[in-house]
Amino acid sequence: MSEAPEIVIEFRRVSFRAANAQLLLSDLSLSVLRGETLVLLGRSGSGKTTTLKLINRMLEPSVGEVLVEGRSTLDWDPIRLRRSIGYVIQEAGLFPHFTVERNVGLVPQLERWAPEKIHARVREMLDLVGLPPEQFLSRYPRELSGGQRQRVGVARALAGDPPLLLMDEPFGALDPLTRVEIQREFRALQGRLKKTIVFVTHDMREALLLGTRIALLEAGKLVGVFTPDEFVHAADPIVAAYVAAFRTGDGNSNL
């Protein structure tokens, strides 16, 4: 008899109101399983990034509870929580005055790893994302292409070997050809690393390519959670609208 999948992140009837009292997320119940890539799909303003920020306690729920590794985020030290989670955003968010080596080695340095261990880890991570260390260690972000900066961002997120990655539209600013290339590389990388990933996108093609499961959000509410195959064949009218847009060639728009 197979073991039940282990839950890494759990939202228990979570709602979130912004400072202006606007309800951005309503009664969200959702689990993320160990080793999966859960894609949060939805149009702009649907609550995707709010959901992501509740995981690493950049936001705190107005109602309900968010658990990471079985503990409420409110019981975690926020710094310890964030250092245990890799975070990748659009345009990579690299420090412009740091070299690639310093950017990638930031979390290990904060964790007081030995310098030789940090150097070895940085080289390992650059190799992993397809950037030869000899060519890139001493470069600055301004000397990199958009695709290279995103690879460095992924390397930095992985450097401390976190079990969990949060990715907020990480490839959204790239040109179409580079985006497709990095999506495929990332899918292959996840196949090797088996990290638990929560991935935000409004691009249905990206969701179908990268997601183990897809959680569709609409106006701050969860429409449903689907495997890619279930999503394509779902009868729900909101899901059907996404699928129709995708089939007419508009699947990477904000719908």
Side-chain angles (χ1 to χ4, degrees):
M1 189 174 180
S2 61
E3 295 183 3
E6 184 180 0
I7 295 174
V8 178
I9 303 164
E10 186 176 5
F11 288 78
R12 294 180 176 174
R13 306 202 69 174
V14 172
S15 296
F16 177 78
R17 286 188 182 275
N20 63 2
Q22 181 183 3
L23 186 63
L24 300 181
L25 203 63
S26 177
D27 199 29
L28 176 64
S29 293
L30 178 67
S31 296
V32 184
L33 308 179
R34 191 170 303 282
E36 79 167 330
T37 299
L38 180 75
V39 172
L40 301 178
L41 177 66
R43 70 182 82 201
S44 297
S46 62
K48 306 184 302 296
T49 297
T50 298
T51 300
L52 207 68
K53 289 181 175 180
L54 285 163
I55 296 171
N56 65 0
R57 203 177 164 183
M58 291 178 71
L59 298 174
E60 296 180 359
S62 304
V63 176
E65 189 175 32
V66 182
L67 287 83
V68 175
E69 299 286 3
R71 293 171 58 192
S72 169
T73 53
L74 302 183
D75 293 336
W76 280 85
D77 173 77
I79 294 175
R80 174 54 47 200
L81 177 64
R82 290 166 195 157
R83 287 187 187 174
S84 69
I85 298 173
Y87 194 43
V88 185
I89 60 174
Q90 194 173 121
E91 289 287 3
L94 302 178
F95 291 102
H97 56 292
F98 282 10
T99 63
V100 166
E101 182 170 19
R102 287 193 68 191
N103 267 290
V104 176
L106 182 61
V107 170
Q109 182 180 12
L110 292 172
E111 291 294 296
R112 301 183 185 277
W113 289 22
E116 61 274 12
K117 184 180 178 182
I118 295 174
H119 183 69
R121 182 63 174 175
V122 170
R123 293 178 68 90
E124 179 187 359
M125 291 300 96
L126 291 179
D127 276 330
L128 190 68
V129 299
L131 298 176
E134 294 76 13
Q135 297 179 30
F136 289 93
L137 281 173
S138 61
R139 292 190 189 181
Y140 288 86
R142 66 179 178 272
E143 300 173 311
L144 307 176
S145 69
Q148 289 167 345
R149 286 194 296 271
Q150 284 307 126
R151 288 181 173 90
V152 173
V154 172
R156 182 177 64 180
L158 293 171
D161 198 23
L164 174 61
L165 292 180
L166 305 181
M167 308 188 75
D168 193 355
E169 306 237 21
F171 313 137
L174 301 177
D175 66 85
L177 290 178
T178 303
R179 183 172 185 169
V180 169
E181 178 185 346
I182 291 187
Q183 286 169 344
R184 289 172 177 166
E185 291 176 359
F186 179 77
R187 185 181 184 187
L189 185 65
Q190 168 62 348
R192 299 197 302 273
L193 297 179
K194 306 295 185 186
K195 298 288 185 182
T196 303
I197 300 172
V198 183
F199 190 108
V200 164
T201 187
H202 62 255
D203 182 340
M204 183 176 153
R205 180 193 177 279
E206 189 166 69
L208 293 172
L209 178 68
L210 301 181
T212 308
R213 293 188 300 152
I214 299 168
L216 180 61
L217 294 168
E218 179 78 6
K221 294 185 177 181
L222 180 66
V223 175
V225 183
F226 314 85
T227 66
D229 185 65
E230 289 169 343
F231 191 93
V232 170
H233 297 100
D236 184 282
I238 298 176
V239 179
Y242 276 78
V243 175
F246 179 70
R247 287 175 172 161
T248 57
D250 195 29
N252 65 346
S253 72
N254 275 318
L255 291 170

